[in-house]
């Protein structure tokens, strides 16, 4: 016998299945092939000779003289004596007891890192035909792969042998003689007894129940100061495919990272494990066997028992216990005056994500960002990162999301749960006032302060008089308002605090300095 693509010819000792039609008898009438060994005396001598050299699907018209048929005796009631017999023969199948499984690989992928071994679990598609090409079954028609263990008796022996050594993506023809298939009895449904079977197989997937995940590092940044650990919160992009390359999901298509804790059971076990030890900016491939993925049932468009391939790009990660990180790149020689709560700061910054994506820049806008430190005018992490900084200093402040913009982020600007990187240069610092004060005197306070404010001497101070006086003291350097706030609003609040009864004017009885108060007021 040759390979599947060669014709097979009958010879002595071969078992053949054929249909025949003659005047007296027909296998077509019985709807059953005639099955027999050739050259072993199971046929009349003429038929034994006539079948030699036939191949499957060949049709012959055979004329047999009486001496090579039933002779002068004939067959009582069926074949008269000395009859010449005519047979119309179509050969359906042929095999020999010495045959083995035949394998013809007609496609093999360039990369074949792993092949099927005994006890592996495989997912494959197939078309099943007889030797004459008649289709008896197809997984393609059911639109579902055939999923099974190999080499442990779950398949017919010939298929168990024929699948060994295949790699994912390979396509092969497996021809199986009946004694390694369904034998004399067939399967009782679609496959007759003594039928050779031909399977056209495409392997989609394979794994072993003992498999763990496999990791292939694609890109690892040269500078990897920190690797992810259990309990960290990661933001990453991924493409998800099956082993044969079939796409099932992508964070890129949603234009949004997948954000999750790792090592805490929030994702499938294989990804939980595969994301440990990554660097920011790293790209890796994680291959997850089904028992560490979605198991036998699958999920959505992921079939049951499927091996999953994730191509991961880590954007950033942090731990909920993280605080800010400060790296000072430059300090001027005189760095004695350091920023503190209440100081008014003017600074430039570039804001980016950990992967380098630029979010914002005051340099690009051409103006500084101005705040009063410690009054909630920036995110908490920035407020912390600007402290104890001197004018001219340059530093990088890394802010975890719980000290930045949190899970929500800023719509259209800052992704949720993003770690932020600020490159800062402090340009100006105006010292603030002592905590609790919005106005202070720079020298001795006049003993006749109320009278000085009450210029018309009517014993009542209106807001206009109060405001004019305070601004005059600031202009002359005798007093100071808290920097960075609306001066008119501060003065108005000071006046309101002195106007005890809320009648819009302050009397001498209402007027008190701060050290005369039992609670803080502005004077």
């Amino acid at each position: 016998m040759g390979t599947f693509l060669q014709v097979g010819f009958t010879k002595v000792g071969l078992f053949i299945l054929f249909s025949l039609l003659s005047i007296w008898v027909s296998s077509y009438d019985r709807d059953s092939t005639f099955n027999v060994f050739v050259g072993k005396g199971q046929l009349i001598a003429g038929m034994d000779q006539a079948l030699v050299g036939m191949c499957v699907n060949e049709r012959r018209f055979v004329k047999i003289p009486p001496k090579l048929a039933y002779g002068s005796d004939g067959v009582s009631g069926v074949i008269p004596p000395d009859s010449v017999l005519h047979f119309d023969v179509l050969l359906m199948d042929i095999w020999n007891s010495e045959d083995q499984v035949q394998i013809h690989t007609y496609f093999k992928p360039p990369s074949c890192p792993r092949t099927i071994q005994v006890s592996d679990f495989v997912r494959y598609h197939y078309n099943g035909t007889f030797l004459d090409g008649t289709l008896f079954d197809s997984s393609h028609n059911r639109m579902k792969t055939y999923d099974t263990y190999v080499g442990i008796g779950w398949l017919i022996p010939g298929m168990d042998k024929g699948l060994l050594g295949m790699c994912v993506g390979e396509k092969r023809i497996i021809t199986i003689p009946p004694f390694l298939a369904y034998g004399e009895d067939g399967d009782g449904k679609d496959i007759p007894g003594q039928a050779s079977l031909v399977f056209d197989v495409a392997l989609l997937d394979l794994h072993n129940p003992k498999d763990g995940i496999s990791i292939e590092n694609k890109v690892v940044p040269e500078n990897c100061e920190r690797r992810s650990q259990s309990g960290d919160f990661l933001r990453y992009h991924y493409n998800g495919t099956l082993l044969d390359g079939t796409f099932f999901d992508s964070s890129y298509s949603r234009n949004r990272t997948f954000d999750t804790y790792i090592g805490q059971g929030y994702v499938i076990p294989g990804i939980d494990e595969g994301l440990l030890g990554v660097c920011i900016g790293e790209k890796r491939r994680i291959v997850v066997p089904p028992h560490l993925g979605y198991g036998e049932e699958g999920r959505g468009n992921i079939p049951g028992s499927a091996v999953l391939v994730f191509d991961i790009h880590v954007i950033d990660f942090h731990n909920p216990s993280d605080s800010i990180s400060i790296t000072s790149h430059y300090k001027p020689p005189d760095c004695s005056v350091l920023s503190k709560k209440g100081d008014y700061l003017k600074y430039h910054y570039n804001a980016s994500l950990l992967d380098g994506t630029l979010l914002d820049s005051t340099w690009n806008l051409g103006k500084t960002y101005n705040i009063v430190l410690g009054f909630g005018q920036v995110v908490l992490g920035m407020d912390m990162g600007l402290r104890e900084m001197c004018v001219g200093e340059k530093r990088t402040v890394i802010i975890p999301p719980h000290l930045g913009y949190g899970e929500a982020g800023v719509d259209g600007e800052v992704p949720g749960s993003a770690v932020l990187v600020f490159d800062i240069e402090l340009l100006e610092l105006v010292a603030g006032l002592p905590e609790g004060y919005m106005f202070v005197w720079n020298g001795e306070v006049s003993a006749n302060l109320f009278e000085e404010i009450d210029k018309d001497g009517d014993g009542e101070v209106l807001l206009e008089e109060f405001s004019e006086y305070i601004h005059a003291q600031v202009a002359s350097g005798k007093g100071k308002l808290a920097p960075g706030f609306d001066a008119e609003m501060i003065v108005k609040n000071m006046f309101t605090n002195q106007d005890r009864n809320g009648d819009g004017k302050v009397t001498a009885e209402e007027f008190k300095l701060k050290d005369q108060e039992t609670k803080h007021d502005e004077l």
Side-chain angles (χ1 to χ4, degrees), residues 48-361:
D48 248 351
Q49 295 178 25
L51 292 175
V52 172
M54 282 191 78
C55 58
V56 172
N57 282 329
E58 182 179 345
R59 185 177 182 182
R60 286 184 178 180
F61 296 97
V62 179
K63 178 180 178 181
I64 302 176
K67 65 180 180 178
L68 296 176
Y70 294 98
S72 57
D73 296 329
V75 177
S76 178
V78 179
I79 300 174
D82 296 315
S83 294
V84 176
L85 304 183
H86 297 266
F87 292 92
D88 182 354
V89 180
L90 176 64
L91 187 63
M92 311 292 288
D93 195 341
I94 181 172
W95 56 270
N96 190 284
S97 58
E98 297 178 358
D99 286 348
Q100 297 296 320
V101 173
Q102 297 180 50
I103 296 172
H104 170 66
T105 296
Y106 63 93
F107 176 78
K108 196 165 188 174
S111 175
C112 185
R114 177 177 180 176
T115 61
I116 297 176
Q117 306 295 321
V118 172
S119 81
D120 281 346
F121 190 91
V122 299
R123 296 174 50 246
Y124 62 90
H125 270 304
Y126 70 89
N127 285 323
T129 63
F130 302 122
L131 275 186
D132 67 346
T134 302
L135 182 73
F136 63 82
D137 192 19
S138 173
S139 64
H140 297 281
N141 292 346
R142 294 190 294 273
M143 298 182 69
K144 184 178 181 181
T145 57
Y146 193 82
D147 307 341
T148 182
Y149 286 96
V150 176
I152 61 172
W154 284 31
L155 295 164
I156 56 174
M159 187 60 87
D160 253 349
K161 292 181 179 179
L163 291 172
L164 292 175
M166 281 191 82
C167 56
V168 172
E170 183 176 340
K171 297 179 181 180
R172 61 171 56 172
I173 305 293
I174 303 172
T175 305
I176 305 173
F179 53 86
L180 295 176
Y182 293 97
E184 296 182 2
D185 299 324
D187 69 347
K189 297 181 292 183
D190 303 312
I191 299 174
Q194 302 290 21
S196 300
L197 306 180
V198 181
F199 291 92
D200 189 342
V201 177
L203 184 62
L204 273 65
D205 195 329
L206 78 96
H207 75 277
N208 194 282
K210 296 179 181 178
D211 288 347
I213 65 168
S214 68
I215 295 174
E216 180 184 355
N217 292 320
K218 299 289 189 178
V219 176
V220 180
E222 292 183 6
N223 183 19
C224 183
E225 297 178 357
R226 175 178 176 179
R227 293 185 178 273
S228 60
Q229 298 178 353
S230 179
D232 284 346
F233 190 90
L234 266 72
R235 296 175 54 246
Y236 63 93
H237 273 302
Y238 71 89
N239 284 323
T241 61
L242 305 180
L243 265 187
D244 67 345
T246 301
F247 170 87
F248 65 80
D249 193 19
S250 174
S251 63
Y252 295 99
S253 63
R254 295 188 292 274
N255 197 28
R256 182 178 179 182
T257 57
F258 191 83
D259 308 339
T260 184
Y261 288 96
I262 60 169
Q264 306 289 313
Y266 286 91
V267 289
I268 57 175
I271 290 296
D272 238 356
E273 181 183 350
L275 289 174
L276 293 174
V278 296
C279 303
I280 292 167
E282 182 172 342
K283 296 181 180 180
R284 64 169 48 175
R285 173 168 288 181
I286 305 171
V287 180
V288 181
H291 50 277
L292 297 175
Y294 292 101
E296 295 181 2
E297 300 302 320
R299 182 176 179 179
N301 58 347
I302 298 175
S305 300
V307 177
L308 309 179
V309 180
F310 291 91
D311 287 306
I312 303 287
H313 181 199
V314 180
I315 303 302
D316 75 29
F317 65 84
H318 72 280
N319 193 283
S321 63
D322 288 348
S323 186
I324 65 168
S325 167
I326 299 175
T327 303
S328 183
H329 303 291
Y330 172 76
K331 287 186 178 182
D334 181 8
C335 191
S336 56
V337 179
L338 302 179
S339 57
K340 63 185 183 307
K341 182 178 180 181
D343 289 349
Y344 181 61
L345 307 182
K346 293 184 179 181
Y347 61 94
H348 271 307
Y349 70 83
N350 282 328
S352 61
L353 302 178
L354 274 182
D355 66 350
T357 301
L358 183 67
L359 300 176
D360 192 17
S361 173

Side-chain angles (χ1 to χ4, degrees), residues 14-26:
L14 285 176
F15 187 90
I16 61 172
L17 288 76
F18 61 92
S19 296
L20 58 86
L21 179 64
S22 71
I23 297 173
W24 298 284
V25 64
S26 173

